[in-house]
């Protein structure tokens, strides 16, 4: 007799061994006991997998579908200039080891590159905007290659593109695949072709050339590049066709009909399908049930698939996919680990509508850890749970064998929110991420707006009316503690290290009632963890910056103190941080006030990117940046 097996250690997880190769006056929420970690389930047969998925989805569906009030039927289905001859100039520079100094994408952790719409290795700048990939030689300030990625259904569309760069290969990722509708639903496949997360591999050694494509059911969640290996995380929904019933049907009848529909679904409703091209070769497939594992409390409505691609190989292949029947919204990566984290759900417990906390007991956040130290597909290590919800990947930090996680718990609806935040320290024991320490009670009545860990020190910003910047000592994982607190108006939505004992904050100034008053850049002195102070600030009334929600838009050069950040009027604001001061250093604008989205430095030259083109400037001009070149997109 076959059965589903709940594993107690990573070594016995059969299905996943193939992953190897201000304090407010409001009362605080009542403390909750830790919830059991979401151990994974492997399957002896595909029939076992199907039975588990059907049972979980059946327990999660209600009379009106998989979300309160969701009454529609859910159909099955996935919802330039000539290029110089290669080798001469670039080859000579590479041979001499004289790659120009350059900035990289502003990422959370060294050794884990993140996809963005512009990349540089110092020898070339590669951008993807408006569905067109462009290559620029920063030495000659000329466009040396262009590749249109639109038009053919086998290629990418023009929206939501980003890329990863390794040697002479660019991996372009498109995230606007199957729309992420409420749990357990997906859109009908559009007439233009199958949806899904789509990737393409471009060879940059000569003229940019498309050498491979890949598409899989679902939506791109995120990706990380460690060495030559790109690991792409795709989030998909079960494609379950629920009946469309007319009036005069009771809720009990609707529920019975929905559960009957779930009971008729086969594995194709859950397992993502994929297809790929490599030159004239084509292939397709579906994630096998031998590549699937499930959390014991899975709702049966969402799947996470991790794809692995060796960019040095010059081909994509089938992506070596593995899937977990669970859900996540956040990807955090280091040079040796990949974490997937998301709001935990249990069968029969639906995610509430609106931005407030969940009704009833907080299910917490589930976290899955994978080992990415070896090339190829990752190896599953462990899972764990913490109370509350994450803000973003910066709420997570791996340090000296421990994972630090900052979350906010409680209900923030109404005029007297019952919320508080905390930092939890986890360590891996067998296949579990086990809590070994915690500090809670931060910012009662508020929510986390930013987090930054600097080795054994943590910095957490909470906000509702004022901005407490908390400093935490995390040296002893068993006894993390708050060492200092700074209360100022406004908040920092992004924190960035700015040298020893210095921290930059980008966010909003606010009045006494918590109403935003415009862009605020703050320089903090955190050298004394007991007495954090603000040394300087720069305020732009009525403005905002993309950095507040997208750290990739932030540039800081620690050698010169240059800080660059896009502002909402379309330009790029330049600041200089020196000593205890933050001073304006000019602005950069593009023709037609095209919004500047990114900035980077190559050999001391500031490059800015917009849909209109690329601009090169000398940022050291006395009166502000001095324009050196303009390369239009067309």
């Amino acid at each position: 007799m076959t059965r589903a097996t709940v594993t107690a250690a990573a070594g016995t997880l059969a299905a996943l061994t193939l992953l190897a190769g201000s304090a407010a006056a409001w009362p605080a929420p009542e403390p909750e006991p830790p919830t059991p970690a979401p151990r994974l389930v492997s399957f002896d047969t595909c029939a076992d997998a199907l039975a588990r998925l059907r049972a979980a989805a059946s327990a999660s569906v209600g009379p009106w579908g998989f979300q309160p009030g969701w009454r529609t039927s859910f159909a099955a289905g996935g919802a330039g200039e000539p290029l110089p001859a290669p080798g001469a100039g670039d080859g000579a520079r590479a041979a001499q080891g004289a790659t120009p100094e350059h900035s990289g994408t502003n990422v959370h952790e060294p050794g884990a590159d993140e996809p963005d719409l512009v990349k540089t290795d110092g020898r070339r700048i590669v951008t993807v905007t408006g569905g067109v990939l462009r290559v620029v030689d920063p030495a000659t300030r000329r466009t040396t290659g262009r590749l249109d990625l639109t038009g053919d259904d086998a290629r990418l569309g023009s929206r939501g593109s980003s890329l990863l760069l390794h040697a002479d290969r660019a991996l372009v990722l498109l995230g606007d695949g199957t729309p992420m509708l409420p749990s357990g639903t997906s859109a009908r496949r559009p007439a233009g072709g199958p949806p899904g997360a789509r990737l393409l591999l471009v060879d940059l050694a000569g003229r940019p050339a498309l050498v491979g494509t890949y598409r899989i059911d679902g939506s791109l969640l995120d990706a990380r590049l460690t060495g030559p290996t790109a690991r792409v995380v795709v989030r998909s929904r079960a494609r379950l066709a629920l009946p469309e019933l007319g009036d005069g049907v009771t809720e009990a009848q609707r529920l019975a009909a929905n559960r009957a529909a779930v009971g008729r679904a086969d594995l194709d409703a859950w397992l993502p399908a994929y297809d790929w091209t490599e030159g004239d070769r084509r292939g397709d497939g579906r994630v096998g049930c031998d590549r699937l594992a499930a959390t014991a409390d899975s709702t049966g409505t969402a799947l996470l698939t991790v794809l692995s691609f060796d960019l040095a190989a010059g081909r994509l292949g089938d992506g070596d996919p593995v899937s977990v029947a669970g859900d996540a919204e956040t990807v955090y990566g280091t040079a040796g680990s990949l974490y997937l984290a998301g709001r935990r759900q249990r069968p029969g417990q639906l995610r509430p509508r609106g931005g407030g906390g969940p009704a009833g007991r907080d299910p917490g956040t589930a976290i899955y850890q994978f080992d990415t130290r070896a090339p190829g597909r990752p190896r599953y290590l462990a899972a764990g749970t913490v109370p509350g919800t994450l803000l973003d990947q910066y709420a997570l930090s791996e340090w000296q064998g421990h994972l630090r996680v900052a979350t906010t718990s409680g209900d923030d609806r109404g005029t007297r929110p019952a919320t508080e935040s905390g930092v939890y320290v986890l360590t891996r024991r067998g296949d579990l991420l086990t809590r070994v320490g915690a500090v809670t009670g931060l910012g009662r009545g508020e929510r986390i707006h930013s987090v930054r860990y600097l080795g054994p020190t943590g910095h957490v910003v909470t906000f509702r009316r004022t901005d407490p910047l908390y400093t935490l000592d995390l040296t002893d994982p068993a006894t993390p503690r708050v060492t200092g607190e700074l209360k100022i108006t406004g908040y920092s939505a992004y924190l960035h290290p700015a040298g020893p004992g210095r921290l930059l904050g980008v966010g909003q100034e606010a009045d006494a009632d918590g109403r935003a008053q415009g862009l605020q850049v703050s320089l903090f002195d955190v050298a004394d963890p007991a007495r954090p102070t603000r040394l300087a600030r720069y305020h732009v009334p009525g403005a905002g910056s993309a950095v507040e929600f997208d750290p990739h838009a932030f540039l800081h050069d620690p050698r010169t103190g240059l800080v660059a950040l896009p502002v909402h009027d379309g330009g790029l604001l330049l600041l200089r941080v020196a000593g205890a001061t933050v001073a304006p250093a000019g602005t950069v604008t593009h023709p037609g006030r095209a919004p500047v989205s990114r900035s980077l430095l190559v050999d001391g030259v500031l490059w800015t990117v917009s849909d209109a083109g690329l601009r090169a400037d000398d940022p050291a001009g006395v009166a502000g940046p001095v324009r050196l070149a303009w390369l239009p997109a067309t």
Side-chain angles (χ1 to χ4, degrees), residues 255-341:
L255 178 59
N258 288 342
R259 287 180 171 171
V262 170
R264 291 190 296 269
D266 59 20
L267 274 174
D268 288 354
W270 282 276
L271 299 178
Y274 58 84
D275 57 76
W276 55 268
T277 69
E278 180 185 328
D280 295 333
R281 297 180 59 208
R282 295 179 178 272
D284 57 46
R286 188 177 296 276
V287 176
C289 52
D290 62 328
R291 298 290 185 100
L292 171 70
T295 57
D297 58 358
S298 169
T299 63
T301 60
L303 283 87
L304 299 167
T305 299
V306 182
L307 307 167
S308 299
F309 303 98
D310 181 2
L311 301 192
R315 57 183 296 273
L316 294 179
D318 66 1
D320 210 4
V322 290
S323 294
V324 172
D327 202 2
E329 298 92 19
T330 302
V331 175
Y332 165 62
T334 71
S337 297
L338 183 72
Y339 294 89
L340 309 182

Side-chain angles (χ1 to χ4, degrees), residues 187-202:
R188 186 180 295 275
R189 184 166 289 185
R198 291 178 285 172
L199 319 172
L200 66 79
L201 186 64
V202 178

Side-chain angles (χ1 to χ4, degrees), residues 203-294:
D203 186 351
L204 303 173
R207 291 180 181 275
L210 183 68
V211 295
T213 68
Y214 188 91
R215 173 166 39 209
I216 186 169
D217 292 340
S219 292
L220 176 69
L221 182 57
D222 210 339
R224 293 295 182 270
L225 180 70
T226 53
T229 305
R231 296 181 177 88
V232 181
V233 183
V234 175
R235 185 183 184 201
S236 58
R237 298 296 194 189
R239 298 166 295 280
L240 299 170
L242 302 183
E244 194 168 346
L245 303 177
D247 296 333
V249 180
T250 68
E251 288 200 352
Q253 291 171 326
R254 292 180 186 277
L255 178 59
N258 288 342
R259 287 180 171 171
V262 170
R264 291 190 296 269
D266 59 20
L267 274 174
D268 288 354
W270 282 276
L271 299 178
Y274 58 84
D275 57 76
W276 55 268
T277 69
E278 180 185 328
D280 295 333
R281 297 180 59 208
R282 295 179 178 272
D284 57 46
R286 188 177 296 276
V287 176
C289 52
D290 62 328
R291 298 290 185 100
L292 171 70

Side-chain angles (χ1 to χ4, degrees), residues 491-520:
Y491 62 87
S492 296
Y494 173 67
L495 296 171
H496 190 85
R502 295 289 193 268
L503 199 63
L504 275 171
V506 179
Q508 287 282 308
E509 173 62 291
D511 63 19
D513 293 321
R515 289 187 292 263
Q517 301 293 301
L519 176 67
Q520 178 173 259

Side-chain angles (χ1 to χ4, degrees), residues 21 226 229 231 371-378:
T226 53
T229 305
R231 296 181 177 88
D371 183 351
T372 57
R373 290 173 297 178
R377 61 180 181 247

Side-chain angles (χ1 to χ4, degrees), residues 140-164:
T140 63
R141 298 171 194 152
R142 297 174 61 226
T143 299
T144 57
R146 184 179 186 277
L147 181 63
D148 188 350
L149 307 178
T150 63
D152 186 345
D153 180 60
R155 299 183 180 184
L156 298 182
S158 61
R159 298 179 292 128
S161 301
S162 60
L163 60 90
L164 292 166

